[in-house]
């Protein structure tokens, strides 16, 4: 068995098995267990049935309660922390509306395979089913966004349910939910399970020789090979590089994985998808054999139907889910690529690879044009803004990105430098994720520069989190692309032949607004002043916001043909969203 993470849980006060300890409440036990499991922060808003837990956390002292302004933000923050650290992160909501607010962020965490524990307080079990004040059923509510979802109605159930929720969240990568009724949390704790419980990740099996041989045979017979790598290949960039070069394969990625592989693979030809680059799309559509590595890319139309496909994933359930597969291998990327290497013959013909690399180079050339133009007063080109950001941000910055046009610009202009990370709502596709994710990112990685790239629509949706940032004096950097529009949707409507409606935003001067709240902040309208303003913003010691008045109608020339077709009226794929992992 491969044990990737092991966290020992030890009860501090040894209790007799199944015995009660009058001095210790369920709330204390929960605080102790989550701290022992390595949780560092609980993103939440306290209230009613959560109050005992809040109190217990303070007394235990190891898990810091982070007081958010909206529970949805708490779930986004936990999702970001979990994605950046790989450790269990946690959030909580109080009875009824408090935990109902968690749901959008929890969907995001679940779809991002982020190990997140969500504690949902709820009304007393004695009044379940009586239409009690704030009565909800968290188990039903969260039924579609979890890897574990139970409600403890007795103190005896709490430790093993909590243990299982954390175990499943870590082991399967997703959201573990425990419902905690008001009458349970304050009762004496019951020790109902062993005192030391390791948290293991799931076993990753070694692929068989037959599987590797079958993949190698397809590759050896093929004149051209292409690799399509998702974030499952994140820790195998060097291997993707050497293997792709041995068989002269261009490497395309998902948007989510591009910073993991760009710059680290000499055969990188761009990211795939509706907002992707045709260099990658063509290579994957025309290669004789395509190797899909650790990707959960959502759009079936991009996979060839007349070519051979090898798919590698640690999750068996993902093999063959998005496309027909000729050889499916359950393995991690590094193991698969290492085992494959000796079995594939080196290819010498570089024609296919050279074309894909030339296509990619020509796209990169075109990307430079709007950057050179810079835009005009009140209509700064977002491409220029992102290109400056790429140049000026730290080499190990963490970027969080709102859903919308910012996905386009970040995908085109951010580069990995030494060790950058970019996270967003890449599979769930929610607006408003960037600022709360930046909060979680900063708590998780206090020594790294954390930059939220916000849309004005997304930013204003959870704008209360500006106050959380001030409350903790968190030195996050917020960049707001103020295009006075839900621009991505405006563009969708235009592409569908509709007259854009209900997409305009009447915004305040976000820079001035943030100054009043306590940010170092300014608004930039003139492209000539953007570079200096960005330098001041990035150099700020504390919370800083830069609002950039960008071109409402900026759209990318590089949108894929498939995106154009998908946007046509009547196409069932109209809800294309930008992303995929
Ligand atoms: C919570 C939520 N509501 C609605 C949508 C649909 N949607 C996707 S992008 C977008 C526009 C985002 O606007 P903004 O944040 O201003 O970004 P822009 O596209 O203008 O850069 C909308 C409404 C969504 N993805 N998530
Ligand atoms: Mg906008």
């Amino acid at each position: 068995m491969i044990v990737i993470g092991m966290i020992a849980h030890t009860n501090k006060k040894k209790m007799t098995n199944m015995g009660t300890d009058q001095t210790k409440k369920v709330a204390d036990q929960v605080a102790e267990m989550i701290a022992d499991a390595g949780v560092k922060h609980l993103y939440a808003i306290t209230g009613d049935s959560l109050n005992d837990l809040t109190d217990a956390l303070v007394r235990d002292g190891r898990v810091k309660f982070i007081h958010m302004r909206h529970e949805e933000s708490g779930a986004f923050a936990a999702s970001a922390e979990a994605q950046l650290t790989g450790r269990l992160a946690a959030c909580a909501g109080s009875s009824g509306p408090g935990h109902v607010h968690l749901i959008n962020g929890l969907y995001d965490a679940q779809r991002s395979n982020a190990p997140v524990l969500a504690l949902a307080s709820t009304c007393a079990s004695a009044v379940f089913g009586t239409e009690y004040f704030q009565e909800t059923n968290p188990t039903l509510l969260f039924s579609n966004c979890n890897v574990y979802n139970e409600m403890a109605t007795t103190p005896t159930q709490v430790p093993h349910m909590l243990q299982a929720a954390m175990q499943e969240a870590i082991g399967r990568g997703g959201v573990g939910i425990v419902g905690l009724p008001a009458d349970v949390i304050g009762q004496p704790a019951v020790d109902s399970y062993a005192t030391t419980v390791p948290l293991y990740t799931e076993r990753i099996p070694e692929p068989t020789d037959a599987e590797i041989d079958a993949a190698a045979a397809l590759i050896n017979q093929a004149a051209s090979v292409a690799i399509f790598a998702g974030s499952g290949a994140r820790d195998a960039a060097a291997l993707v590089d050497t293997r792709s070069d041995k068989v002269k394969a261009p490497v395309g990625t998902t948007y989510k994985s591009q910073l993991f592989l760009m710059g680290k693979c000499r055969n990188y030809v761009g990211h795939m998808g509706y907002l992707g680059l045709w260099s990658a799309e063509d290579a994957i559509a025309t290669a004789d054999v395509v190797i899909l590595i650790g990707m959960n890319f959502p759009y079936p139309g991009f996979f060839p139907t007349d070519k051979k496909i090898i798919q590698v994933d640690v999750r068996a359930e993902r093999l063959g889910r998005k496309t027909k597969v000729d050889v499916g291998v359950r393995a991690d990327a590094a193991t698969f690529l290492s085992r494959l290497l000796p079995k594939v013959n080196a290819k010498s013909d570089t024609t296919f690879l050279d074309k894909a690399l030339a296509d990619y180079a020509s796209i990169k050339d075109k990307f430079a044009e709007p950057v050179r133009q810079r835009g005009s007063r009140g209509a700064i080109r977002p491409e220029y803004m992102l290109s400056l950001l790429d140049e000026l941000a730290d080499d190990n910055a963490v970027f969080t990105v709102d859903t919308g046009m910012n996905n386009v610009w970040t995908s085109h202009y951010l580069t990995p430098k030494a060790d950058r990370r970019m996270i967003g709502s890449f599979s769930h596709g929610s607006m408003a994720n960037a600022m709360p994710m930046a909060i979680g990112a900063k708590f998780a990685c206090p020594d790294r520069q954390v930059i939220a790239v916000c849309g004005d629509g997304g930013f204003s949706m959870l704008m209360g989190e500006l106050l959380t940032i001030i409350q903790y004096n968190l030195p996050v950097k917020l960049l707001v692309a103020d295009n006075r529009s839900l621009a991505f949707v405006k563009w969708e409507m235009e592409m569908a032949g509709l007259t854009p409606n209900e997409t305009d935003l009447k915004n305040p001067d976000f820079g001035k607004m943030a100054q009043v709240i306590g940010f170092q902040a300014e608004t930039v309208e003139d492209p000539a002043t953007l570079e200096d303003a960005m330098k001041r913003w990035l150099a700020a010691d504390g919370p800083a916001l830069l609002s950039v008045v960008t071109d409402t109608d900026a759209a990318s020339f590089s949108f894929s043909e498939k995106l154009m077709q998908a946007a046509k009226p009547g196409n069932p794929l109209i809800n294309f969203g930008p992303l995929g992992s």
Side-chain angles (χ1 to χ4, degrees), residues 104 403-406 429-431 455-458 461 483 485-489 505:
N104 193 43
T403 299
M405 278 296 181
N406 282 321
S430 175
M431 288 168 72
D456 47 352
M461 196 175 262
N483 55 17
S485 172
L486 303 175
F488 190 82
V489 173
L505 298 172

Side-chain angles (χ1 to χ4, degrees), residues 42-46 65-75 77 92 97-98 101-102 435-436 439 443 461-473 517:
L42 182 79
Y43 300 92
I45 297 177
T46 192
F65 188 106
I66 306 297
H67 176 175
M68 305 297 289
R69 298 299 176 118
H70 193 303
E71 292 85 351
E72 175 177 335
S73 307
H101 266 184
L102 290 170
M435 175 158 49
I439 293 173
F443 277 114
M461 196 175 262
L462 287 174
M463 207 150 62
E465 298 312 332
L466 285 173
L467 306 178
T468 307
I469 292 170
I470 292 299
Q471 188 151 333
Y472 289 96
N473 195 27
I517 294 170

Side-chain angles (χ1 to χ4, degrees), residues 18-174:
M18 299 296 283
T20 59
D21 177 346
Q22 296 301 319
T23 63
K24 182 169 173 175
K25 290 184 194 171
V26 168
D28 296 302
Q29 188 180 39
V30 172
E32 187 176 283
M33 281 183 71
I34 65 175
D36 284 351
V39 170
K40 301 286 180 235
H41 307 103
L42 182 79
Y43 300 92
I45 297 177
T46 192
D48 47 73
S49 43
L50 260 192
N51 294 344
D52 277 313
L53 178 61
T54 310
D55 179 61
L57 287 173
V58 172
R59 279 184 285 102
D60 183 280
R62 289 176 292 162
V63 177
K64 190 172 161 63
F65 188 106
I66 306 297
H67 176 175
M68 305 297 289
R69 298 299 176 118
H70 193 303
E71 292 85 351
E72 175 177 335
S73 307
F76 274 131
S79 174
E81 174 165 340
Q83 289 181 64
L84 286 169
T85 63
R87 284 196 314 261
L88 184 68
C91 58
S94 60
S95 232
H99 68 243
V100 171
H101 266 184
L102 290 170
I103 195 161
N104 193 43
L106 291 184
Y107 256 96
D108 180 75
Q110 174 70 14
R111 297 293 312 274
S112 306
N113 303 128
V116 167
L117 172 72
L119 300 173
S121 277
T122 190
C123 62
S125 58
V127 294
F128 282 2
T130 66
E131 298 187 5
Y132 194 71
F133 176 64
Q134 293 189 330
E135 184 181 351
T136 57
N137 183 332
T139 313
L140 286 180
L141 178 72
F142 299 116
S143 62
N144 196 29
C145 57
N146 73 81
V147 287
Y148 184 87
N149 184 19
E150 293 291 341
M151 173 119 68
T153 52
T154 66
T156 310
Q157 293 168 321
V158 171
H160 61 255
M161 284 186 178
L162 186 54
Q163 163 68 27
M166 297 193 293
Q167 173 71 74
E168 295 265 17
I170 295 169
R172 289 167 61 198

